[in-house]
Amino acid sequence: MMVLDLLLAIQREHDAALGFRFSCRVAMCGTCTLRLDGRSVLACQTPVPRDRDTVRLDPVAGLPVLRDLVVDTTAFWEEWARVTPYLVPRDDLTEPAVIRPDAKERQLIDPALDCIGCGACYSSCAVSAGSRDFIGPAALNRAMVLVADSRDAAGEERLAAVTGEGGVDRCHYVYGCSAQCPKGLDPAQAIRRLRRWRLRPRSSDDGR
Amino acid sequence: MTGVDVADVPVVDTDVLVVGSGGAGLMCVLHVKAAAPELDVTIVSKGAVGRSGCTRMVQGGFNAVLDPADSVDLHLRDTLDGGRFLNDQELAHTLVTDAPKVIHELETRVGCFFDRSEDGRIHQKAFAGQQFDRTVHRGDLTGIEIMGRLRDQMFRVLPNELEDVRALDLVTDVHGELVGLTALDARTGRALLVRARIVVVATGGAATMYRIAAPAKEKTGDGVAMCWRAGLPLRDMEMLQFHPTGLLAAESRMTGAVLEEGLRGAGAYLYNARGERYMERYDAARMERSTRDVVSRAGYSEIMAGRGTPTGGVLIDISHLGAGEVERRFPGMVARTRQIGQDLATGPVEVSPTAHFHMGGVLIDPDCHTEMRGLLVAGEDAGGTHGANRLGGNGVAESTVFGSRAGDTAAAEASSRGFGEPDPEQVAASFARAYAPLERDAGELPFPLTRELKDAMWVGCGVVRDRAGLEECLASLDELTERSAQVSVPGPAQVNYAWQEALDLENQLTVARTVVAAAQLREESRGAHYRADFPEQDDAAWSRYVVLRRAADGSVSSDTRPVEHTRLAP
Ligand SMILES: Cc1cc2nc3c(=O)[nH]c(=O)nc-3n(C[C@H](O)[C@H](O)[C@H](O)COP(=O)(O)OP(=O)(O)OC[C@H]3O[C@@H](n4cnc5c(N)ncnc54)[C@H](O)[C@@H]3O)c2cc1C
Ligand code: SF4
Ligand code: FES
């Protein structure tokens, strides 16, 4: 039984008004995030601990609660928006790029790509939750992906943005983000990489 | 008496209103903004923008002709063969012609990156029911890449996003000209009226109304029900696709989640509890690679004949490819099975047919026009493209192709329509209906009714149907409809999912009734629609599609129309 099943049972049998979000129930939408005994998890993918009678559920940290476990995710997406999160296609990108699956850039990008915007990293990051101006792990991970993408034309500006105010230097490397990402992404590594790229912008390390 | 005073309801005016933020909805927004940046676009989305609906959940991939050795004619032939020639051939033709353009756009403008072959070009894999390997994908979680990147694009084109807002009813002026729609802000519980020059409905169909079902929570037929109430004709409503391999996870909500079709494409075997590869008896030539309708019915028949597992399933096994290979090619599916204590990489996994996709929907033309001026419909809410059975990989192609076309149409036509004055009676009636469950002091909660609906549809109007079962099912729906008109939910109105469920239930019941009605009419078996009492396909009598329509007085009429073979004859 997953935490989501528990919530649905409570809603059906005890408290019809209980507020919680979900959509896909298979780890693809990223809307069911909450904290189970303090850890940020997807409700649909996390079994209810069997060794206890009670568990503690809280809404994700750092975002305003609308009701019960439902939060307003606006702040998370505002940070996302700050890194110019969309591809700015190079002028010569008129056909799908020919890039071998074992190309260095794909080795950087592919493991960092399946972010579902669940905010578990944000919720478990003391800096994100505590201050309004840190761009945050998910958005920085997105920025790394785009900076590494040879199809994108805005890499240098994006790099400047994420290494400036509120950017990578705010990270204290507590690794809460990478430990709690339900998709196995490693935002902390993305942040480290961005720092390196700032220092050696034209170097060929990491395939850039 | 409703607590909503129509005169006090806030009004939002927008040039183009897009209802739904799945593949169809967001492609539509992009295309409006590309063709006419000056137009103001508003998204109304019941779930999170770009993170609700089924496009997000697409696993297997997207069919498009990219290889010079393939051809759109062949893709069309596969689509019509799969659809048992019930398709609207102009829609199917549009689908296959535009799909390569959309892949091109997704790759070069939207920022998607699909898996590559060794030579660095887009990889295309085998999918059941197709003569060419033409399915573009990103691993086995393609929808995250498509919707993730489309969501990112919204930060570039900046539409007005009304998230957690539910569209209720289309509203016209007193002469019947479309004005916009009534809506409900689920966060605040407040009523809202949106007026637009063009309304695009893309809420993604209704396949959730079955005991075992695959889709996302929001897909409760809202768009189709809305169009139905507005008097628009629906076609092929009996054509509800069951995916052959839904997970069985006991009482968990994970039950019904799909194990993707690529598994069968890659060579997975299906066994019954006796260890027989039972597809031999149903389609010896294509075996597990047969189309969804055939494989679903085979599994269902094995289970019903007592050859299923104790919990009512059959077994899918791909472990003969080797655990490492399975983990590499199907990481998402492996994770999904491990989640429920099974393991696709090392052994068989229990599955059952699961309600997956609705081929039926609103009648449209290739530019997404409907009978109502100013109203466009795109994606799974529309009917006709897939006929009696959808090919795996043609669904996300449909939503993005027709979403794009709806955007182009909206951009071209917005300036030809102005803002009308909504008929106050319609507005009042819509809000009265919506707020009633909240205002009733006593009554049942909606949850048990939803469950009964899903059971009734599963048993009476599911994978195999017959006259007696359909009649019984309709009787259950009648009873549930009466009870649903009396449900009551506790307040407050803010963020109240019990209330939302009551509104979902009403739409599900509305659509379910049309599914049963059409299933009763079609006295033959074709594609997803199988009648045990008419087991043969009857081309002489039934090269026809069923059209249903509701009149203003609530009466329902039906007619059947001959399929026009404008491109290919069977
Ligand atoms: C598990 C699964 C796997 C699939 N895999 C594949 C595949 O591999 N290949 C393939 O081609 N197809 C696949 N499909 C089918 C495919 O997902 C659909 O055909 C297609 O994505 C539907 O897109 P859409 O835009 O019409 O609707 P959706 O993407 O479902 O979006 C519907 C939107 O409408 C919103 N909405 C609903 N009601 C309201 C309302 N009242 N007011 C406002 N907004 C509302 C929702 O919040 C959501 O944003 C799969 C489907 C499922 C369920
Ligand atoms: S990086 Fe991981 S934890 Fe953070 S939003 Fe993305 S998927 Fe969620
Ligand atoms: S419900 Fe979608 S990730 Fe949990």
Side-chain angles (χ1 to χ4, degrees), chain A residues 87-114:
Chain A
L87 184 82
V88 178
R90 288 166 39 154
D91 290 341
D92 59 354
L93 187 68
T94 52
E95 290 301 321
V98 178
I99 300 174
R100 289 168 51 98
D102 59 359
K104 189 78 203 209
E105 71 175 88
R106 293 319 301 179
Q107 289 175 21
L108 296 181
I109 294 173
D110 286 344
L113 201 50
D114 289 331

PDB file of all heavy atoms in Angstrom, chain A residues 87-114:
ATOM      1  N   LEU A  87      14.647  25.590 -24.685  1.00  0.00           N
ATOM      2  CA  LEU A  87      15.708  25.610 -25.682  1.00  0.00           C
ATOM      3  C   LEU A  87      15.626  26.888 -26.506  1.00  0.00           C
ATOM      4  O   LEU A  87      14.555  27.269 -26.960  1.00  0.00           O
ATOM      5  CB  LEU A  87      15.569  24.392 -26.616  1.00  0.00           C
ATOM      6  CG  LEU A  87      16.666  24.215 -27.656  1.00  0.00           C
ATOM      7  CD1 LEU A  87      17.875  23.521 -27.036  1.00  0.00           C
ATOM      8  CD2 LEU A  87      16.171  23.397 -28.849  1.00  0.00           C
ATOM      9  N   VAL A  88      16.768  27.540 -26.677  1.00  0.00           N
ATOM     10  CA  VAL A  88      16.851  28.662 -27.616  1.00  0.00           C
ATOM     11  C   VAL A  88      17.601  28.103 -28.824  1.00  0.00           C
ATOM     12  O   VAL A  88      18.821  28.010 -28.814  1.00  0.00           O
ATOM     13  CB  VAL A  88      17.605  29.854 -26.990  1.00  0.00           C
ATOM     14  CG1 VAL A  88      17.718  30.992 -27.991  1.00  0.00           C
ATOM     15  CG2 VAL A  88      16.907  30.314 -25.714  1.00  0.00           C
ATOM     16  N   PRO A  89      16.870  27.684 -29.852  1.00  0.00           N
ATOM     17  CA  PRO A  89      17.522  26.904 -30.908  1.00  0.00           C
ATOM     18  C   PRO A  89      18.553  27.713 -31.685  1.00  0.00           C
ATOM     19  O   PRO A  89      18.327  28.879 -31.984  1.00  0.00           O
ATOM     20  CB  PRO A  89      16.365  26.496 -31.823  1.00  0.00           C
ATOM     21  CG  PRO A  89      15.117  27.072 -31.258  1.00  0.00           C
ATOM     22  CD  PRO A  89      15.439  27.903 -30.073  1.00  0.00           C
ATOM     23  N   ARG A  90      19.689  27.086 -31.951  1.00  0.00           N
ATOM     24  CA  ARG A  90      20.678  27.744 -32.811  1.00  0.00           C
ATOM     25  C   ARG A  90      20.106  27.942 -34.207  1.00  0.00           C
ATOM     26  O   ARG A  90      19.271  27.181 -34.648  1.00  0.00           O
ATOM     27  CB  ARG A  90      21.939  26.877 -32.899  1.00  0.00           C
ATOM     28  CG  ARG A  90      22.744  26.887 -31.612  1.00  0.00           C
ATOM     29  CD  ARG A  90      23.759  25.785 -31.608  1.00  0.00           C
ATOM     30  NE  ARG A  90      24.365  25.612 -32.926  1.00  0.00           N
ATOM     31  CZ  ARG A  90      25.574  25.097 -33.124  1.00  0.00           C
ATOM     32  NH1 ARG A  90      26.283  24.718 -32.074  1.00  0.00           N
ATOM     33  NH2 ARG A  90      26.039  24.932 -34.335  1.00  0.00           N
ATOM     34  N   ASP A  91      20.608  28.970 -34.896  1.00  0.00           N
ATOM     35  CA  ASP A  91      20.069  29.283 -36.221  1.00  0.00           C
ATOM     36  C   ASP A  91      20.139  28.100 -37.178  1.00  0.00           C
ATOM     37  O   ASP A  91      19.284  27.934 -38.040  1.00  0.00           O
ATOM     38  CB  ASP A  91      20.843  30.457 -36.846  1.00  0.00           C
ATOM     39  CG  ASP A  91      20.539  31.750 -36.122  1.00  0.00           C
ATOM     40  OD1 ASP A  91      19.496  31.784 -35.424  1.00  0.00           O
ATOM     41  OD2 ASP A  91      21.333  32.704 -36.225  1.00  0.00           O
ATOM     42  N   ASP A  92      21.194  27.297 -37.029  1.00  0.00           N
ATOM     43  CA  ASP A  92      21.361  26.199 -37.992  1.00  0.00           C
ATOM     44  C   ASP A  92      20.606  24.941 -37.581  1.00  0.00           C
ATOM     45  O   ASP A  92      20.756  23.900 -38.216  1.00  0.00           O
ATOM     46  CB  ASP A  92      22.855  25.895 -38.198  1.00  0.00           C
ATOM     47  CG  ASP A  92      23.549  25.508 -36.898  1.00  0.00           C
ATOM     48  OD1 ASP A  92      22.893  25.591 -35.831  1.00  0.00           O
ATOM     49  OD2 ASP A  92      24.732  25.142 -36.948  1.00  0.00           O
ATOM     50  N   LEU A  93      19.791  25.037 -36.543  1.00  0.00           N
ATOM     51  CA  LEU A  93      19.030  23.854 -36.128  1.00  0.00           C
ATOM     52  C   LEU A  93      17.745  23.771 -36.962  1.00  0.00           C
ATOM     53  O   LEU A  93      16.656  24.098 -36.502  1.00  0.00           O
ATOM     54  CB  LEU A  93      18.697  23.896 -34.642  1.00  0.00           C
ATOM     55  CG  LEU A  93      18.059  22.623 -34.080  1.00  0.00           C
ATOM     56  CD1 LEU A  93      19.041  21.458 -34.064  1.00  0.00           C
ATOM     57  CD2 LEU A  93      17.510  22.839 -32.671  1.00  0.00           C
ATOM     58  N   THR A  94      17.889  23.357 -38.200  1.00  0.00           N
ATOM     59  CA  THR A  94      16.719  23.280 -39.066  1.00  0.00           C
ATOM     60  C   THR A  94      16.247  21.849 -39.226  1.00  0.00           C
ATOM     61  O   THR A  94      15.140  21.610 -39.692  1.00  0.00           O
ATOM     62  CB  THR A  94      17.045  23.850 -40.462  1.00  0.00           C
ATOM     63  OG1 THR A  94      18.228  23.193 -40.935  1.00  0.00           O
ATOM     64  CG2 THR A  94      17.305  25.346 -40.389  1.00  0.00           C
ATOM     65  N   GLU A  95      17.094  20.905 -38.847  1.00  0.00           N
ATOM     66  CA  GLU A  95      16.724  19.486 -38.864  1.00  0.00           C
ATOM     67  C   GLU A  95      17.074  18.896 -37.502  1.00  0.00           C
ATOM     68  O   GLU A  95      17.946  19.434 -36.815  1.00  0.00           O
ATOM     69  CB  GLU A  95      17.523  18.747 -39.957  1.00  0.00           C
ATOM     70  CG  GLU A  95      17.123  19.107 -41.377  1.00  0.00           C
ATOM     71  CD  GLU A  95      15.660  18.821 -41.666  1.00  0.00           C
ATOM     72  OE1 GLU A  95      15.138  17.783 -41.195  1.00  0.00           O
ATOM     73  OE2 GLU A  95      15.024  19.650 -42.354  1.00  0.00           O
ATOM     74  N   PRO A  96      16.426  17.814 -37.106  1.00  0.00           N
ATOM     75  CA  PRO A  96      16.806  17.172 -35.846  1.00  0.00           C
ATOM     76  C   PRO A  96      18.318  16.913 -35.835  1.00  0.00           C
ATOM     77  O   PRO A  96      18.867  16.397 -36.810  1.00  0.00           O
ATOM     78  CB  PRO A  96      16.014  15.864 -35.864  1.00  0.00           C
ATOM     79  CG  PRO A  96      14.795  16.182 -36.683  1.00  0.00           C
ATOM     80  CD  PRO A  96      15.276  17.142 -37.739  1.00  0.00           C
ATOM     81  N   ALA A  97      18.966  17.331 -34.765  1.00  0.00           N
ATOM     82  CA  ALA A  97      20.423  17.247 -34.702  1.00  0.00           C
ATOM     83  C   ALA A  97      20.884  15.796 -34.785  1.00  0.00           C
ATOM     84  O   ALA A  97      20.220  14.904 -34.259  1.00  0.00           O
ATOM     85  CB  ALA A  97      20.914  17.873 -33.404  1.00  0.00           C
ATOM     86  N   VAL A  98      22.019  15.606 -35.453  1.00  0.00           N
ATOM     87  CA  VAL A  98      22.612  14.266 -35.517  1.00  0.00           C
ATOM     88  C   VAL A  98      23.614  14.173 -34.362  1.00  0.00           C
ATOM     89  O   VAL A  98      24.664  14.816 -34.377  1.00  0.00           O
ATOM     90  CB  VAL A  98      23.314  14.037 -36.871  1.00  0.00           C
ATOM     91  CG1 VAL A  98      23.975  12.660 -36.896  1.00  0.00           C
ATOM     92  CG2 VAL A  98      22.300  14.171 -38.012  1.00  0.00           C
ATOM     93  N   ILE A  99      23.255  13.435 -33.350  1.00  0.00           N
ATOM     94  CA  ILE A  99      24.096  13.312 -32.153  1.00  0.00           C
ATOM     95  C   ILE A  99      24.088  11.852 -31.741  1.00  0.00           C
ATOM     96  O   ILE A  99      23.016  11.284 -31.495  1.00  0.00           O
ATOM     97  CB  ILE A  99      23.561  14.191 -31.005  1.00  0.00           C
ATOM     98  CG1 ILE A  99      23.548  15.666 -31.415  1.00  0.00           C
ATOM     99  CG2 ILE A  99      24.397  13.977 -29.732  1.00  0.00           C
ATOM    100  CD1 ILE A  99      22.916  16.592 -30.401  1.00  0.00           C
ATOM    101  N   ARG A 100      25.249  11.266 -31.675  1.00  0.00           N
ATOM    102  CA  ARG A 100      25.303   9.849 -31.325  1.00  0.00           C
ATOM    103  C   ARG A 100      24.928   9.643 -29.860  1.00  0.00           C
ATOM    104  O   ARG A 100      25.203  10.474 -29.016  1.00  0.00           O
ATOM    105  CB  ARG A 100      26.708   9.306 -31.606  1.00  0.00           C
ATOM    106  CG  ARG A 100      27.030   9.193 -33.096  1.00  0.00           C
ATOM    107  CD  ARG A 100      28.509   8.932 -33.295  1.00  0.00           C
ATOM    108  NE  ARG A 100      28.947   7.804 -32.475  1.00  0.00           N
ATOM    109  CZ  ARG A 100      29.083   6.547 -32.931  1.00  0.00           C
ATOM    110  NH1 ARG A 100      28.856   6.287 -34.196  1.00  0.00           N
ATOM    111  NH2 ARG A 100      29.476   5.570 -32.132  1.00  0.00           N
ATOM    112  N   PRO A 101      24.285   8.508 -29.586  1.00  0.00           N
ATOM    113  CA  PRO A 101      23.843   8.282 -28.209  1.00  0.00           C
ATOM    114  C   PRO A 101      24.988   8.234 -27.211  1.00  0.00           C
ATOM    115  O   PRO A 101      24.801   8.511 -26.035  1.00  0.00           O
ATOM    116  CB  PRO A 101      23.123   6.923 -28.265  1.00  0.00           C
ATOM    117  CG  PRO A 101      23.394   6.346 -29.605  1.00  0.00           C
ATOM    118  CD  PRO A 101      23.878   7.433 -30.497  1.00  0.00           C
ATOM    119  N   ASP A 102      26.205   7.923 -27.691  1.00  0.00           N
ATOM    120  CA  ASP A 102      27.322   7.866 -26.747  1.00  0.00           C
ATOM    121  C   ASP A 102      28.123   9.166 -26.728  1.00  0.00           C
ATOM    122  O   ASP A 102      29.195   9.239 -26.134  1.00  0.00           O
ATOM    123  CB  ASP A 102      28.236   6.671 -27.058  1.00  0.00           C
ATOM    124  CG  ASP A 102      28.792   6.745 -28.480  1.00  0.00           C
ATOM    125  OD1 ASP A 102      28.438   7.711 -29.217  1.00  0.00           O
ATOM    126  OD2 ASP A 102      29.570   5.859 -28.877  1.00  0.00           O
ATOM    127  N   ALA A 103      27.593  10.233 -27.373  1.00  0.00           N
ATOM    128  CA  ALA A 103      28.284  11.526 -27.368  1.00  0.00           C
ATOM    129  C   ALA A 103      28.428  12.011 -25.925  1.00  0.00           C
ATOM    130  O   ALA A 103      27.567  11.770 -25.090  1.00  0.00           O
ATOM    131  CB  ALA A 103      27.494  12.554 -28.188  1.00  0.00           C
ATOM    132  N   LYS A 104      29.501  12.721 -25.684  1.00  0.00           N
ATOM    133  CA  LYS A 104      29.781  13.193 -24.324  1.00  0.00           C
ATOM    134  C   LYS A 104      28.608  14.022 -23.787  1.00  0.00           C
ATOM    135  O   LYS A 104      28.196  13.868 -22.633  1.00  0.00           O
ATOM    136  CB  LYS A 104      31.074  14.024 -24.357  1.00  0.00           C
ATOM    137  CG  LYS A 104      31.605  14.385 -23.006  1.00  0.00           C
ATOM    138  CD  LYS A 104      32.341  13.223 -22.349  1.00  0.00           C
ATOM    139  CE  LYS A 104      32.338  13.433 -20.849  1.00  0.00           C
ATOM    140  NZ  LYS A 104      33.426  12.896 -20.093  1.00  0.00           N
ATOM    141  N   GLU A 105      28.066  14.913 -24.617  1.00  0.00           N
ATOM    142  CA  GLU A 105      26.992  15.768 -24.105  1.00  0.00           C
ATOM    143  C   GLU A 105      25.782  14.945 -23.671  1.00  0.00           C
ATOM    144  O   GLU A 105      25.126  15.265 -22.691  1.00  0.00           O
ATOM    145  CB  GLU A 105      26.600  16.838 -25.135  1.00  0.00           C
ATOM    146  CG  GLU A 105      25.858  16.311 -26.368  1.00  0.00           C
ATOM    147  CD  GLU A 105      25.388  17.435 -27.280  1.00  0.00           C
ATOM    148  OE1 GLU A 105      26.185  17.831 -28.145  1.00  0.00           O
ATOM    149  OE2 GLU A 105      24.260  17.937 -27.125  1.00  0.00           O
ATOM    150  N   ARG A 106      25.494  13.859 -24.396  1.00  0.00           N
ATOM    151  CA  ARG A 106      24.334  13.064 -23.989  1.00  0.00           C
ATOM    152  C   ARG A 106      24.604  12.331 -22.688  1.00  0.00           C
ATOM    153  O   ARG A 106      23.693  12.049 -21.917  1.00  0.00           O
ATOM    154  CB  ARG A 106      23.936  12.064 -25.088  1.00  0.00           C
ATOM    155  CG  ARG A 106      23.397  12.679 -26.366  1.00  0.00           C
ATOM    156  CD  ARG A 106      22.467  13.849 -26.227  1.00  0.00           C
ATOM    157  NE  ARG A 106      21.246  13.627 -25.475  1.00  0.00           N
ATOM    158  CZ  ARG A 106      20.324  14.563 -25.249  1.00  0.00           C
ATOM    159  NH1 ARG A 106      20.484  15.787 -25.722  1.00  0.00           N
ATOM    160  NH2 ARG A 106      19.252  14.289 -24.557  1.00  0.00           N
ATOM    161  N   GLN A 107      25.864  12.017 -22.448  1.00  0.00           N
ATOM    162  CA  GLN A 107      26.169  11.360 -21.177  1.00  0.00           C
ATOM    163  C   GLN A 107      25.960  12.303 -20.005  1.00  0.00           C
ATOM    164  O   GLN A 107      25.630  11.870 -18.902  1.00  0.00           O
ATOM    165  CB  GLN A 107      27.594  10.817 -21.202  1.00  0.00           C
ATOM    166  CG  GLN A 107      27.688   9.612 -22.140  1.00  0.00           C
ATOM    167  CD  GLN A 107      29.102   9.105 -22.300  1.00  0.00           C
ATOM    168  OE1 GLN A 107      29.960   9.365 -21.473  1.00  0.00           O
ATOM    169  NE2 GLN A 107      29.344   8.397 -23.383  1.00  0.00           N
ATOM    170  N   LEU A 108      26.134  13.593 -20.251  1.00  0.00           N
ATOM    171  CA  LEU A 108      25.851  14.567 -19.193  1.00  0.00           C
ATOM    172  C   LEU A 108      24.348  14.794 -19.070  1.00  0.00           C
ATOM    173  O   LEU A 108      23.800  14.925 -17.980  1.00  0.00           O
ATOM    174  CB  LEU A 108      26.502  15.916 -19.531  1.00  0.00           C
ATOM    175  CG  LEU A 108      28.020  15.970 -19.615  1.00  0.00           C
ATOM    176  CD1 LEU A 108      28.454  17.395 -19.935  1.00  0.00           C
ATOM    177  CD2 LEU A 108      28.616  15.532 -18.283  1.00  0.00           C
ATOM    178  N   ILE A 109      23.683  14.853 -20.207  1.00  0.00           N
ATOM    179  CA  ILE A 109      22.286  15.287 -20.213  1.00  0.00           C
ATOM    180  C   ILE A 109      21.332  14.157 -19.836  1.00  0.00           C
ATOM    181  O   ILE A 109      20.441  14.344 -18.997  1.00  0.00           O
ATOM    182  CB  ILE A 109      21.912  15.838 -21.620  1.00  0.00           C
ATOM    183  CG1 ILE A 109      22.696  17.125 -21.908  1.00  0.00           C
ATOM    184  CG2 ILE A 109      20.413  16.073 -21.710  1.00  0.00           C
ATOM    185  CD1 ILE A 109      22.524  17.630 -23.329  1.00  0.00           C
ATOM    186  N   ASP A 110      21.518  12.996 -20.457  1.00  0.00           N
ATOM    187  CA  ASP A 110      20.488  11.960 -20.315  1.00  0.00           C
ATOM    188  C   ASP A 110      20.125  11.625 -18.864  1.00  0.00           C
ATOM    189  O   ASP A 110      18.949  11.570 -18.526  1.00  0.00           O
ATOM    190  CB  ASP A 110      20.880  10.699 -21.097  1.00  0.00           C
ATOM    191  CG  ASP A 110      20.729  10.893 -22.607  1.00  0.00           C
ATOM    192  OD1 ASP A 110      20.052  11.871 -22.994  1.00  0.00           O
ATOM    193  OD2 ASP A 110      21.277  10.109 -23.385  1.00  0.00           O
ATOM    194  N   PRO A 111      21.118  11.427 -17.984  1.00  0.00           N
ATOM    195  CA  PRO A 111      20.732  11.090 -16.608  1.00  0.00           C
ATOM    196  C   PRO A 111      20.080  12.258 -15.872  1.00  0.00           C
ATOM    197  O   PRO A 111      19.504  12.064 -14.805  1.00  0.00           O
ATOM    198  CB  PRO A 111      22.075  10.731 -15.943  1.00  0.00           C
ATOM    199  CG  PRO A 111      23.106  10.721 -16.998  1.00  0.00           C
ATOM    200  CD  PRO A 111      22.581  11.463 -18.166  1.00  0.00           C
ATOM    201  N   ALA A 112      20.154  13.462 -16.425  1.00  0.00           N
ATOM    202  CA  ALA A 112      19.630  14.644 -15.734  1.00  0.00           C
ATOM    203  C   ALA A 112      18.306  15.114 -16.335  1.00  0.00           C
ATOM    204  O   ALA A 112      17.767  16.147 -15.962  1.00  0.00           O
ATOM    205  CB  ALA A 112      20.654  15.782 -15.818  1.00  0.00           C
ATOM    206  N   LEU A 113      17.778  14.337 -17.272  1.00  0.00           N
ATOM    207  CA  LEU A 113      16.691  14.846 -18.111  1.00  0.00           C
ATOM    208  C   LEU A 113      15.291  14.584 -17.576  1.00  0.00           C
ATOM    209  O   LEU A 113      14.380  15.364 -17.813  1.00  0.00           O
ATOM    210  CB  LEU A 113      16.830  14.228 -19.507  1.00  0.00           C
ATOM    211  CG  LEU A 113      16.152  14.957 -20.645  1.00  0.00           C
ATOM    212  CD1 LEU A 113      16.508  16.429 -20.646  1.00  0.00           C
ATOM    213  CD2 LEU A 113      16.549  14.321 -21.967  1.00  0.00           C
ATOM    214  N   ASP A 114      15.093  13.478 -16.884  1.00  0.00           N
ATOM    215  CA  ASP A 114      13.713  13.101 -16.576  1.00  0.00           C
ATOM    216  C   ASP A 114      13.138  13.773 -15.336  1.00  0.00           C
ATOM    217  O   ASP A 114      12.369  13.174 -14.583  1.00  0.00           O
ATOM    218  CB  ASP A 114      13.597  11.581 -16.452  1.00  0.00           C
ATOM    219  CG  ASP A 114      13.737  10.909 -17.821  1.00  0.00           C
ATOM    220  OD1 ASP A 114      13.372  11.564 -18.819  1.00  0.00           O
ATOM    221  OD2 ASP A 114      14.193   9.768 -17.883  1.00  0.00           O
TER     222      ASP A 114
END
